[in-house]
Amino acid sequence: MIDGGRREKLLRELSISLVSGLILAIAGKLYASWAATAWARSAWLVLPAVVAAAGTAFAVTRYRHHSGRRQVFLLVSAFVQKHWVAELVENLVRSLDRHGIDLVLKIPPYEYGGHGQLQQLAELKRNSRAFLGGFVMAADSAANRVEFERFCRSLRIPIVFIDSSPFEHVRDFPPNAAFVGCEDAEIGARSAESVARILRDRGVPSPSVLVVGSNEHSGRQDAFATQLRAAVATVEITINDQGRFDRGRAAGIVGQMLQEAHRRGTAVDVVFCTNDEMALGAVDAVQKRAAVGEGIGDPVIVGVDGTREAIATIDAGGTRFRSTVVQESGRVAEVAVSNLLRLREREPLDVRTYIRTMIYPLGDASAAVSGPRGVRQSDAS
Protein backbone atom coordinates (compact mmCIF):
# COMPACT_ATOMS: atom_id res chain seq x y z
CA MET A 1 0.00 0.00 0.00
CA ILE A 2 1.29 3.47 -0.92
CA ASP A 3 1.22 6.00 1.93
CA GLY A 4 -0.30 9.46 1.54
CA GLY A 5 2.98 11.25 0.93
CA ARG A 6 4.15 8.87 -1.81
CA ARG A 7 0.71 8.80 -3.42
CA GLU A 8 0.59 12.61 -3.54
CA LYS A 9 4.09 12.72 -5.05
CA LEU A 10 3.16 10.16 -7.74
CA LEU A 11 -0.01 12.06 -8.65
CA ARG A 12 1.95 15.30 -8.84
CA GLU A 13 4.60 13.84 -11.12
CA LEU A 14 1.89 12.25 -13.29
CA SER A 15 0.08 15.58 -13.67
CA ILE A 16 3.35 17.30 -14.62
CA SER A 17 4.09 14.62 -17.21
CA LEU A 18 0.59 14.90 -18.68
CA VAL A 19 0.81 18.69 -18.94
CA SER A 20 4.23 18.64 -20.58
CA GLY A 21 3.18 15.82 -22.90
CA LEU A 22 0.07 17.71 -23.94
CA ILE A 23 2.11 20.81 -24.76
CA LEU A 24 4.57 18.84 -26.85
CA ALA A 25 1.73 17.02 -28.66
CA ILE A 26 0.10 20.31 -29.60
CA ALA A 27 3.46 21.65 -30.76
CA GLY A 28 3.95 18.57 -32.94
CA LYS A 29 0.50 18.92 -34.45
CA LEU A 30 1.13 22.54 -35.33
CA TYR A 31 4.44 21.66 -36.90
CA ALA A 32 2.86 18.94 -39.04
CA SER A 33 0.23 21.40 -40.27
CA TRP A 34 2.79 24.01 -41.12
CA ALA A 35 4.97 21.50 -42.91
CA ALA A 36 2.11 20.84 -45.39
CA THR A 37 1.80 24.51 -46.30
CA ALA A 38 3.86 27.02 -48.19
CA TRP A 39 5.21 28.17 -44.84
CA ALA A 40 7.07 24.92 -44.39
CA ARG A 41 10.32 26.61 -45.33
CA SER A 42 10.10 28.92 -42.31
CA ALA A 43 8.72 26.32 -39.85
CA TRP A 44 12.19 25.62 -38.51
CA LEU A 45 12.17 29.18 -37.17
CA VAL A 46 8.93 28.59 -35.23
CA LEU A 47 9.76 25.16 -33.86
CA PRO A 48 12.50 26.30 -31.41
CA ALA A 49 10.09 28.87 -29.96
CA VAL A 50 7.41 26.22 -29.42
CA VAL A 51 9.88 23.86 -27.76
CA ALA A 52 11.16 26.68 -25.55
CA ALA A 53 7.59 27.53 -24.53
CA ALA A 54 6.93 23.91 -23.66
CA GLY A 55 10.09 23.74 -21.58
CA THR A 56 9.18 26.96 -19.79
CA ALA A 57 5.67 25.68 -19.00
CA PHE A 58 7.16 22.43 -17.69
CA ALA A 59 9.58 24.31 -15.43
CA VAL A 60 6.87 26.63 -14.12
CA THR A 61 4.59 23.69 -13.36
CA ARG A 62 7.33 21.94 -11.39
CA TYR A 63 8.16 25.17 -9.56
CA ARG A 64 4.53 25.65 -8.51
CA HIS A 65 4.49 22.14 -7.03
CA HIS A 66 7.87 22.22 -5.32
CA SER A 67 8.32 25.78 -4.07
CA GLY A 68 7.96 25.59 -0.30
CA ARG A 69 4.83 23.45 -0.13
CA ARG A 70 6.32 20.44 1.69
CA GLN A 71 6.73 21.97 5.11
CA VAL A 72 4.55 22.76 8.10
CA PHE A 73 5.20 25.00 11.10
CA LEU A 74 4.94 24.41 14.83
CA LEU A 75 4.36 27.49 16.98
CA VAL A 76 5.08 26.65 20.63
CA SER A 77 4.13 28.65 23.73
CA ALA A 78 7.45 27.94 25.51
CA PHE A 79 10.56 25.89 24.84
CA VAL A 80 13.35 26.47 27.38
CA GLN A 81 13.70 23.41 29.65
CA LYS A 82 10.35 22.06 28.45
CA HIS A 83 11.17 18.39 28.00
CA TRP A 84 7.66 17.31 26.99
CA VAL A 85 7.64 19.92 24.21
CA ALA A 86 11.06 18.74 23.03
CA GLU A 87 9.81 15.15 22.93
CA LEU A 88 6.70 16.26 21.04
CA VAL A 89 8.87 18.04 18.45
CA GLU A 90 10.95 14.89 18.04
CA ASN A 91 7.85 12.77 17.46
CA LEU A 92 6.29 15.29 15.07
CA VAL A 93 9.47 15.28 12.98
CA ARG A 94 9.43 11.49 12.77
CA SER A 95 5.76 11.34 11.84
CA LEU A 96 6.05 14.08 9.22
CA ASP A 97 9.18 12.49 7.72
CA ARG A 98 7.10 9.48 6.76
CA HIS A 99 5.05 11.81 4.56
CA GLY A 100 8.05 13.68 3.14
CA ILE A 101 7.20 16.85 5.08
CA ASP A 102 9.63 19.08 7.00
CA LEU A 103 8.87 20.83 10.30
CA VAL A 104 9.72 24.50 10.91
CA LEU A 105 9.83 25.42 14.62
CA LYS A 106 8.61 28.88 15.67
CA ILE A 107 9.52 30.00 19.21
CA PRO A 108 7.98 33.21 20.65
CA PRO A 109 10.35 35.77 22.23
CA TYR A 110 8.69 35.33 25.64
CA GLU A 111 7.92 32.06 27.44
CA TYR A 112 4.14 31.59 27.60
CA GLY A 113 3.82 35.12 26.27
CA GLY A 114 0.57 35.72 24.45
CA HIS A 115 1.89 38.97 22.95
CA GLY A 116 4.95 37.15 21.60
CA GLN A 117 2.74 34.55 19.96
CA LEU A 118 0.61 37.24 18.34
CA GLN A 119 3.77 38.63 16.73
CA GLN A 120 4.56 35.16 15.40
CA LEU A 121 0.99 34.77 14.10
CA ALA A 122 1.33 37.99 12.11
CA GLU A 123 4.57 36.76 10.53
CA LEU A 124 3.09 33.37 9.73
CA LYS A 125 0.07 35.01 8.15
CA ARG A 126 2.34 36.97 5.81
CA ASN A 127 4.30 33.84 4.86
CA SER A 128 1.48 31.29 4.89
CA ARG A 129 2.09 30.33 1.25
CA ALA A 130 5.34 28.70 2.33
CA PHE A 131 3.46 26.07 4.38
CA LEU A 132 0.91 23.37 3.71
CA GLY A 133 -0.33 23.57 7.31
CA GLY A 134 0.63 24.30 10.88
CA PHE A 135 0.50 23.23 14.53
CA VAL A 136 -0.06 25.73 17.36
CA MET A 137 0.40 25.39 21.12
CA ALA A 138 -1.65 28.39 22.22
CA ALA A 139 -0.50 30.72 25.02
CA ASP A 140 -2.98 32.94 26.87
CA SER A 141 -5.58 31.09 24.86
CA ALA A 142 -8.62 32.56 26.62
CA ALA A 143 -7.41 36.17 26.27
CA ASN A 144 -6.34 35.71 22.63
CA ARG A 145 -9.19 33.54 21.40
CA VAL A 146 -10.41 36.16 18.92
CA GLU A 147 -6.91 36.60 17.48
CA PHE A 148 -6.46 32.86 17.03
CA GLU A 149 -9.84 32.66 15.31
CA ARG A 150 -8.94 35.49 12.94
CA PHE A 151 -5.62 33.84 12.21
CA CYS A 152 -7.25 30.54 11.25
CA ARG A 153 -9.99 32.13 9.15
CA SER A 154 -7.49 34.30 7.25
CA LEU A 155 -5.56 31.25 6.01
CA ARG A 156 -6.37 28.55 3.50
CA ILE A 157 -4.17 25.98 5.20
CA PRO A 158 -5.17 23.60 8.04
CA ILE A 159 -4.25 24.47 11.64
CA VAL A 160 -4.13 21.85 14.40
CA PHE A 161 -3.92 23.11 17.98
CA ILE A 162 -1.90 20.84 20.29
CA ASP A 163 -1.95 20.59 24.10
CA SER A 164 -4.04 23.75 24.59
CA SER A 165 -6.93 25.12 22.57
CA PRO A 166 -8.29 28.68 22.45
CA PHE A 167 -11.78 27.40 21.61
CA GLU A 168 -14.07 26.17 24.36
CA HIS A 169 -16.73 24.49 22.21
CA VAL A 170 -16.64 22.49 18.99
CA ARG A 171 -18.88 25.05 17.33
CA ASP A 172 -16.26 27.76 17.92
CA PHE A 173 -13.61 26.13 15.71
CA PRO A 174 -13.04 27.61 12.24
CA PRO A 175 -13.57 25.08 9.40
CA ASN A 176 -9.81 24.62 8.88
CA ALA A 177 -8.94 24.06 12.56
CA ALA A 178 -8.90 21.12 14.99
CA PHE A 179 -7.45 20.16 18.37
CA VAL A 180 -5.43 17.14 19.54
CA GLY A 181 -4.20 16.67 23.09
CA CYS A 182 -4.96 15.36 26.56
CA GLU A 183 -7.90 16.71 28.51
CA ASP A 184 -6.98 18.82 31.55
CA ALA A 185 -10.02 17.62 33.49
CA GLU A 186 -9.03 13.99 32.95
CA ILE A 187 -5.44 14.70 34.01
CA GLY A 188 -6.61 16.39 37.20
CA ALA A 189 -9.13 13.69 38.04
CA ARG A 190 -6.68 10.86 37.37
CA SER A 191 -4.05 12.53 39.56
CA ALA A 192 -6.60 13.02 42.35
CA GLU A 193 -7.56 9.34 42.31
CA SER A 194 -3.90 8.39 42.52
CA VAL A 195 -3.23 10.76 45.44
CA ALA A 196 -6.40 9.62 47.23
CA ARG A 197 -5.13 6.03 47.12
CA ILE A 198 -1.77 7.11 48.51
CA LEU A 199 -3.42 8.98 51.38
CA ARG A 200 -5.75 6.09 52.20
CA ASP A 201 -2.80 3.67 52.20
CA ARG A 202 -0.95 5.94 54.62
CA GLY A 203 -3.96 6.39 56.86
CA VAL A 204 -3.40 10.12 57.32
CA PRO A 205 -6.51 11.51 59.14
CA SER A 206 -6.19 15.15 57.97
CA PRO A 207 -3.71 15.23 55.10
CA SER A 208 -2.08 18.38 53.73
CA VAL A 209 -1.62 18.62 49.96
CA LEU A 210 0.30 21.31 48.08
CA VAL A 211 -0.61 21.88 44.42
CA VAL A 212 1.95 23.68 42.25
CA GLY A 213 0.35 24.72 39.00
CA SER A 214 0.17 27.40 36.33
CA ASN A 215 -2.49 29.60 34.82
CA GLU A 216 -1.72 28.03 31.43
CA HIS A 217 -3.51 24.80 32.39
CA SER A 218 -5.66 25.84 35.33
CA GLY A 219 -8.12 23.06 34.54
CA ARG A 220 -5.62 20.49 35.80
CA GLN A 221 -5.32 21.87 39.32
CA ASP A 222 -9.01 22.79 39.52
CA ALA A 223 -10.17 19.29 38.57
CA PHE A 224 -7.59 17.76 40.91
CA ALA A 225 -8.80 19.80 43.89
CA THR A 226 -12.47 19.08 43.19
CA GLN A 227 -11.94 15.32 42.82
CA LEU A 228 -9.61 15.00 45.81
CA ARG A 229 -11.99 16.88 48.13
CA ALA A 230 -14.77 14.55 47.02
CA ALA A 231 -12.61 11.48 47.75
CA VAL A 232 -10.96 12.70 50.99
CA ALA A 233 -13.28 15.06 52.86
CA THR A 234 -10.69 16.01 55.51
CA VAL A 235 -7.94 17.01 53.09
CA GLU A 236 -6.41 20.50 53.25
CA ILE A 237 -5.36 21.70 49.79
CA THR A 238 -3.12 24.69 49.10
CA ILE A 239 -2.91 25.77 45.43
CA ASN A 240 -0.09 27.93 44.10
CA ASP A 241 -0.57 28.71 40.39
CA GLN A 242 2.69 30.64 39.96
CA GLY A 243 4.87 27.67 39.00
CA ARG A 244 4.72 28.55 35.28
CA PHE A 245 5.88 25.01 34.47
CA ASP A 246 9.37 26.06 35.58
CA ARG A 247 11.62 23.80 37.66
CA GLY A 248 13.34 26.60 39.55
CA ARG A 249 10.13 28.45 40.39
CA ALA A 250 8.54 25.23 41.63
CA ALA A 251 11.56 24.46 43.81
CA GLY A 252 11.22 27.88 45.43
CA ILE A 253 7.48 27.44 46.05
CA VAL A 254 7.88 23.97 47.55
CA GLY A 255 10.90 24.98 49.63
CA GLN A 256 9.02 27.91 51.16
CA MET A 257 6.01 25.72 51.93
CA LEU A 258 8.21 23.10 53.62
CA GLN A 259 9.87 25.79 55.74
CA GLU A 260 6.52 27.17 56.87
CA ALA A 261 5.26 23.68 57.73
CA HIS A 262 8.45 23.03 59.72
CA ARG A 263 7.97 26.22 61.74
CA ARG A 264 4.36 25.29 62.52
CA GLY A 265 5.27 21.75 63.43
CA THR A 266 3.12 20.31 60.64
CA ALA A 267 3.93 18.40 57.46
CA VAL A 268 3.18 18.38 53.76
CA ASP A 269 1.94 14.90 52.84
CA VAL A 270 1.68 15.25 49.05
CA VAL A 271 3.02 17.68 46.46
CA PHE A 272 1.09 17.53 43.18
CA CYS A 273 2.69 19.42 40.29
CA THR A 274 0.83 19.91 37.01
CA ASN A 275 3.88 19.06 34.94
CA ASP A 276 7.05 17.01 35.43
CA GLU A 277 9.43 19.99 35.29
CA MET A 278 7.82 21.38 38.41
CA ALA A 279 7.72 17.91 40.01
CA LEU A 280 11.48 17.67 39.52
CA GLY A 281 11.75 21.10 41.11
CA ALA A 282 9.81 19.75 44.08
CA VAL A 283 12.33 16.89 44.29
CA ASP A 284 15.15 19.47 44.34
CA ALA A 285 13.46 21.41 47.16
CA VAL A 286 12.84 18.31 49.29
CA GLN A 287 16.43 17.16 48.90
CA LYS A 288 17.76 20.63 49.72
CA ARG A 289 15.70 20.91 52.92
CA ALA A 290 16.67 17.38 53.96
CA ALA A 291 20.37 18.18 53.36
CA VAL A 292 20.29 21.01 55.91
CA GLY A 293 18.69 18.74 58.49
CA GLU A 294 15.14 20.08 58.51
CA GLY A 295 12.41 17.67 59.43
CA ILE A 296 10.29 17.63 56.29
CA GLY A 297 8.28 14.49 56.95
CA ASP A 298 7.79 12.16 54.03
CA PRO A 299 6.03 14.09 51.24
CA VAL A 300 5.02 12.15 48.13
CA ILE A 301 5.53 13.94 44.80
CA VAL A 302 3.24 13.38 41.81
CA GLY A 303 3.74 14.97 38.37
CA VAL A 304 2.21 15.18 34.92
CA ASP A 305 3.63 14.47 31.43
CA GLY A 306 5.65 11.26 31.67
CA THR A 307 8.86 12.81 30.33
CA ARG A 308 11.97 10.65 30.02
CA GLU A 309 13.74 12.46 32.88
CA ALA A 310 10.76 12.09 35.20
CA ILE A 311 10.36 8.38 34.45
CA ALA A 312 14.10 7.82 34.91
CA THR A 313 13.96 9.60 38.28
CA ILE A 314 11.00 7.49 39.41
CA ASP A 315 12.65 4.27 38.22
CA ALA A 316 15.97 5.09 39.91
CA GLY A 317 14.34 5.49 43.32
CA GLY A 318 16.01 7.42 46.09
CA THR A 319 13.59 10.37 45.81
CA ARG A 320 10.01 11.01 46.82
CA PHE A 321 8.88 11.30 43.21
CA ARG A 322 6.22 8.60 43.23
CA SER A 323 4.28 8.75 39.95
CA THR A 324 3.36 10.82 36.90
CA VAL A 325 0.32 11.09 34.63
CA VAL A 326 1.63 10.23 31.16
CA GLN A 327 0.69 12.33 28.15
CA GLU A 328 2.00 10.22 25.29
CA SER A 329 3.73 12.76 23.05
CA GLY A 330 4.25 10.12 20.36
CA ARG A 331 0.54 9.38 20.15
CA VAL A 332 -0.33 13.09 20.22
CA ALA A 333 2.07 13.69 17.32
CA GLU A 334 0.74 10.82 15.21
CA VAL A 335 -2.89 11.89 15.56
CA ALA A 336 -2.06 15.58 15.05
CA VAL A 337 -0.24 14.86 11.77
CA SER A 338 -3.02 12.55 10.59
CA ASN A 339 -5.70 15.15 11.34
CA LEU A 340 -3.73 17.94 9.66
CA LEU A 341 -3.47 15.90 6.47
CA ARG A 342 -7.16 15.01 6.65
CA LEU A 343 -8.07 18.67 7.06
CA ARG A 344 -5.91 19.46 4.04
CA GLU A 345 -7.80 16.90 1.96
CA ARG A 346 -11.13 18.15 3.40
CA GLU A 347 -11.88 14.73 4.83
CA PRO A 348 -14.40 14.52 7.69
CA LEU A 349 -12.92 14.27 11.20
CA ASP A 350 -13.76 15.06 14.81
CA VAL A 351 -12.78 18.62 15.62
CA ARG A 352 -11.45 17.73 19.09
CA THR A 353 -9.51 14.55 19.73
CA TYR A 354 -8.43 13.68 23.27
CA ILE A 355 -5.56 11.27 23.85
CA ARG A 356 -6.13 9.13 26.92
CA THR A 357 -3.65 9.37 29.76
CA MET A 358 -2.23 6.74 32.10
CA ILE A 359 -0.45 6.58 35.44
CA TYR A 360 3.23 5.61 35.60
CA PRO A 361 4.58 3.35 37.02
CA LEU A 362 2.15 0.66 35.99
CA GLY A 363 3.18 -1.48 38.98
CA ASP A 364 2.05 1.19 41.43
CA ALA A 365 -1.25 0.77 43.21
CA SER A 366 -2.41 3.97 41.59
CA ALA A 367 -2.19 2.35 38.17
CA ALA A 368 -5.58 0.82 38.84
CA VAL A 369 -7.13 4.16 37.91
CA SER A 370 -5.24 4.52 34.65
CA GLY A 371 -7.99 3.22 32.38
CA PRO A 372 -7.57 2.21 28.73
CA ARG A 373 -5.00 3.84 26.54
CA GLY A 374 -5.88 5.27 23.16
CA VAL A 375 -7.92 8.03 21.57
CA ARG A 376 -11.37 9.35 22.28
CA GLN A 377 -13.31 12.08 20.58
CA SER A 378 -14.88 15.01 22.37
CA ASP A 379 -18.59 15.53 22.77
CA ALA A 380 -20.35 17.86 20.39
CA SER A 381 -20.71 20.71 22.87
PDB file of all heavy atoms in Angstrom, residues 296-315:
ATOM      1  N   ILE A 296      11.272  17.322  57.339  1.00  0.00           N
ATOM      2  CA  ILE A 296      10.294  17.634  56.293  1.00  0.00           C
ATOM      3  C   ILE A 296       9.207  16.575  56.187  1.00  0.00           C
ATOM      4  O   ILE A 296       8.347  16.652  55.317  1.00  0.00           O
ATOM      5  CB  ILE A 296      10.994  17.773  54.925  1.00  0.00           C
ATOM      6  CG1 ILE A 296      11.755  16.488  54.586  1.00  0.00           C
ATOM      7  CG2 ILE A 296      11.916  18.977  54.911  1.00  0.00           C
ATOM      8  CD1 ILE A 296      12.325  16.481  53.192  1.00  0.00           C
ATOM      9  N   GLY A 297       9.256  15.568  57.061  1.00  0.00           N
ATOM     10  CA  GLY A 297       8.283  14.491  56.955  1.00  0.00           C
ATOM     11  C   GLY A 297       8.611  13.588  55.784  1.00  0.00           C
ATOM     12  O   GLY A 297       9.777  13.413  55.419  1.00  0.00           O
ATOM     13  N   ASP A 298       7.586  13.074  55.157  1.00  0.00           N
ATOM     14  CA  ASP A 298       7.788  12.164  54.033  1.00  0.00           C
ATOM     15  C   ASP A 298       6.817  12.508  52.902  1.00  0.00           C
ATOM     16  O   ASP A 298       5.902  11.747  52.588  1.00  0.00           O
ATOM     17  CB  ASP A 298       7.578  10.712  54.495  1.00  0.00           C
ATOM     18  CG  ASP A 298       7.968   9.704  53.420  1.00  0.00           C
ATOM     19  OD1 ASP A 298       8.777  10.068  52.533  1.00  0.00           O
ATOM     20  OD2 ASP A 298       7.447   8.581  53.457  1.00  0.00           O
ATOM     21  N   PRO A 299       6.981  13.680  52.278  1.00  0.00           N
ATOM     22  CA  PRO A 299       6.028  14.087  51.237  1.00  0.00           C
ATOM     23  C   PRO A 299       6.175  13.261  49.963  1.00  0.00           C
ATOM     24  O   PRO A 299       7.293  13.006  49.510  1.00  0.00           O
ATOM     25  CB  PRO A 299       6.395  15.548  50.982  1.00  0.00           C
ATOM     26  CG  PRO A 299       7.843  15.632  51.346  1.00  0.00           C
ATOM     27  CD  PRO A 299       8.036  14.688  52.491  1.00  0.00           C
ATOM     28  N   VAL A 300       5.051  12.853  49.409  1.00  0.00           N
ATOM     29  CA  VAL A 300       5.025  12.148  48.131  1.00  0.00           C
ATOM     30  C   VAL A 300       4.854  13.177  47.019  1.00  0.00           C
ATOM     31  O   VAL A 300       4.075  14.125  47.149  1.00  0.00           O
ATOM     32  CB  VAL A 300       3.870  11.123  48.100  1.00  0.00           C
ATOM     33  CG1 VAL A 300       3.673  10.582  46.688  1.00  0.00           C
ATOM     34  CG2 VAL A 300       4.136   9.991  49.071  1.00  0.00           C
ATOM     35  N   ILE A 301       5.581  13.003  45.931  1.00  0.00           N
ATOM     36  CA  ILE A 301       5.528  13.940  44.802  1.00  0.00           C
ATOM     37  C   ILE A 301       4.909  13.237  43.594  1.00  0.00           C
ATOM     38  O   ILE A 301       5.296  12.128  43.231  1.00  0.00           O
ATOM     39  CB  ILE A 301       6.927  14.466  44.456  1.00  0.00           C
ATOM     40  CG1 ILE A 301       7.507  15.214  45.657  1.00  0.00           C
ATOM     41  CG2 ILE A 301       6.884  15.377  43.227  1.00  0.00           C
ATOM     42  CD1 ILE A 301       8.975  15.571  45.511  1.00  0.00           C
ATOM     43  N   VAL A 302       3.932  13.893  42.993  1.00  0.00           N
ATOM     44  CA  VAL A 302       3.241  13.376  41.807  1.00  0.00           C
ATOM     45  C   VAL A 302       3.314  14.437  40.716  1.00  0.00           C
ATOM     46  O   VAL A 302       3.094  15.626  40.985  1.00  0.00           O
ATOM     47  CB  VAL A 302       1.772  13.039  42.124  1.00  0.00           C
ATOM     48  CG1 VAL A 302       1.028  12.607  40.856  1.00  0.00           C
ATOM     49  CG2 VAL A 302       1.688  11.948  43.179  1.00  0.00           C
ATOM     50  N   GLY A 303       3.621  14.032  39.484  1.00  0.00           N
ATOM     51  CA  GLY A 303       3.743  14.974  38.375  1.00  0.00           C
ATOM     52  C   GLY A 303       2.812  14.650  37.229  1.00  0.00           C
ATOM     53  O   GLY A 303       1.955  13.764  37.318  1.00  0.00           O
ATOM     54  N   VAL A 304       3.001  15.365  36.137  1.00  0.00           N
ATOM     55  CA  VAL A 304       2.209  15.183  34.919  1.00  0.00           C
ATOM     56  C   VAL A 304       3.118  15.323  33.709  1.00  0.00           C
ATOM     57  O   VAL A 304       3.918  16.258  33.654  1.00  0.00           O
ATOM     58  CB  VAL A 304       1.072  16.224  34.807  1.00  0.00           C
ATOM     59  CG1 VAL A 304       0.363  16.122  33.459  1.00  0.00           C
ATOM     60  CG2 VAL A 304       0.070  16.081  35.937  1.00  0.00           C
ATOM     61  N   ASP A 305       3.017  14.454  32.772  1.00  0.00           N
ATOM     62  CA  ASP A 305       3.626  14.474  31.434  1.00  0.00           C
ATOM     63  C   ASP A 305       4.234  13.120  31.063  1.00  0.00           C
ATOM     64  O   ASP A 305       4.105  12.674  29.934  1.00  0.00           O
ATOM     65  CB  ASP A 305       4.707  15.543  31.261  1.00  0.00           C
ATOM     66  CG  ASP A 305       4.129  16.915  30.965  1.00  0.00           C
ATOM     67  OD1 ASP A 305       2.941  16.982  30.610  1.00  0.00           O
ATOM     68  OD2 ASP A 305       4.855  17.920  31.124  1.00  0.00           O
ATOM     69  N   GLY A 306       4.972  12.507  32.016  1.00  0.00           N
ATOM     70  CA  GLY A 306       5.648  11.259  31.670  1.00  0.00           C
ATOM     71  C   GLY A 306       6.868  11.492  30.808  1.00  0.00           C
ATOM     72  O   GLY A 306       7.152  10.702  29.891  1.00  0.00           O
ATOM     73  N   THR A 307       7.643  12.554  31.101  1.00  0.00           N
ATOM     74  CA  THR A 307       8.858  12.806  30.334  1.00  0.00           C
ATOM     75  C   THR A 307       9.927  11.759  30.669  1.00  0.00           C
ATOM     76  O   THR A 307       9.861  11.087  31.704  1.00  0.00           O
ATOM     77  CB  THR A 307       9.423  14.207  30.624  1.00  0.00           C
ATOM     78  OG1 THR A 307       9.767  14.286  32.015  1.00  0.00           O
ATOM     79  CG2 THR A 307       8.402  15.285  30.294  1.00  0.00           C
ATOM     80  N   ARG A 308      10.916  11.657  29.809  1.00  0.00           N
ATOM     81  CA  ARG A 308      11.967  10.652  30.016  1.00  0.00           C
ATOM     82  C   ARG A 308      12.700  10.883  31.340  1.00  0.00           C
ATOM     83  O   ARG A 308      13.005   9.942  32.063  1.00  0.00           O
ATOM     84  CB  ARG A 308      12.959  10.690  28.854  1.00  0.00           C
ATOM     85  CG  ARG A 308      12.356  10.307  27.505  1.00  0.00           C
ATOM     86  CD  ARG A 308      13.431  10.199  26.443  1.00  0.00           C
ATOM     87  NE  ARG A 308      12.840   9.961  25.128  1.00  0.00           N
ATOM     88  CZ  ARG A 308      12.791  10.861  24.163  1.00  0.00           C
ATOM     89  NH1 ARG A 308      13.296  12.070  24.372  1.00  0.00           N
ATOM     90  NH2 ARG A 308      12.247  10.592  22.995  1.00  0.00           N
ATOM     91  N   GLU A 309      13.007  12.156  31.645  1.00  0.00           N
ATOM     92  CA  GLU A 309      13.738  12.456  32.878  1.00  0.00           C
ATOM     93  C   GLU A 309      12.911  12.098  34.105  1.00  0.00           C
ATOM     94  O   GLU A 309      13.434  11.553  35.086  1.00  0.00           O
ATOM     95  CB  GLU A 309      14.133  13.925  32.925  1.00  0.00           C
ATOM     96  CG  GLU A 309      14.990  14.273  34.140  1.00  0.00           C
ATOM     97  CD  GLU A 309      15.443  15.720  34.169  1.00  0.00           C
ATOM     98  OE1 GLU A 309      15.039  16.488  33.267  1.00  0.00           O
ATOM     99  OE2 GLU A 309      16.194  16.094  35.090  1.00  0.00           O
ATOM    100  N   ALA A 310      11.619  12.401  34.059  1.00  0.00           N
ATOM    101  CA  ALA A 310      10.757  12.090  35.197  1.00  0.00           C
ATOM    102  C   ALA A 310      10.664  10.580  35.412  1.00  0.00           C
ATOM    103  O   ALA A 310      10.791  10.094  36.543  1.00  0.00           O
ATOM    104  CB  ALA A 310       9.367  12.676  34.975  1.00  0.00           C
ATOM    105  N   ILE A 311      10.469   9.839  34.341  1.00  0.00           N
ATOM    106  CA  ILE A 311      10.359   8.384  34.455  1.00  0.00           C
ATOM    107  C   ILE A 311      11.674   7.787  34.943  1.00  0.00           C
ATOM    108  O   ILE A 311      11.685   6.873  35.775  1.00  0.00           O
ATOM    109  CB  ILE A 311       9.924   7.785  33.105  1.00  0.00           C
ATOM    110  CG1 ILE A 311       8.450   8.140  32.840  1.00  0.00           C
ATOM    111  CG2 ILE A 311      10.124   6.274  33.082  1.00  0.00           C
ATOM    112  CD1 ILE A 311       7.943   7.709  31.489  1.00  0.00           C
ATOM    113  N   ALA A 312      12.797   8.318  34.452  1.00  0.00           N
ATOM    114  CA  ALA A 312      14.104   7.825  34.908  1.00  0.00           C
ATOM    115  C   ALA A 312      14.297   8.097  36.391  1.00  0.00           C
ATOM    116  O   ALA A 312      14.846   7.256  37.121  1.00  0.00           O
ATOM    117  CB  ALA A 312      15.212   8.479  34.092  1.00  0.00           C
ATOM    118  N   THR A 313      13.836   9.261  36.858  1.00  0.00           N
ATOM    119  CA  THR A 313      13.957   9.598  38.283  1.00  0.00           C
ATOM    120  C   THR A 313      13.103   8.670  39.134  1.00  0.00           C
ATOM    121  O   THR A 313      13.534   8.194  40.186  1.00  0.00           O
ATOM    122  CB  THR A 313      13.545  11.062  38.511  1.00  0.00           C
ATOM    123  OG1 THR A 313      14.372  11.920  37.719  1.00  0.00           O
ATOM    124  CG2 THR A 313      13.698  11.442  39.983  1.00  0.00           C
ATOM    125  N   ILE A 314      11.884   8.400  38.680  1.00  0.00           N
ATOM    126  CA  ILE A 314      10.997   7.489  39.413  1.00  0.00           C
ATOM    127  C   ILE A 314      11.600   6.092  39.458  1.00  0.00           C
ATOM    128  O   ILE A 314      11.643   5.440  40.511  1.00  0.00           O
ATOM    129  CB  ILE A 314       9.606   7.461  38.760  1.00  0.00           C
ATOM    130  CG1 ILE A 314       8.919   8.828  38.918  1.00  0.00           C
ATOM    131  CG2 ILE A 314       8.738   6.357  39.371  1.00  0.00           C
ATOM    132  CD1 ILE A 314       7.642   8.975  38.110  1.00  0.00           C
ATOM    133  N   ASP A 315      12.082   5.619  38.305  1.00  0.00           N
ATOM    134  CA  ASP A 315      12.645   4.273  38.221  1.00  0.00           C
ATOM    135  C   ASP A 315      13.902   4.121  39.079  1.00  0.00           C
ATOM    136  O   ASP A 315      14.142   3.055  39.661  1.00  0.00           O
ATOM    137  CB  ASP A 315      12.980   3.926  36.769  1.00  0.00           C
ATOM    138  CG  ASP A 315      11.741   3.678  35.920  1.00  0.00           C
ATOM    139  OD1 ASP A 315      10.646   3.528  36.508  1.00  0.00           O
ATOM    140  OD2 ASP A 315      11.859   3.663  34.686  1.00  0.00           O
TER     141      ASP A 315
END
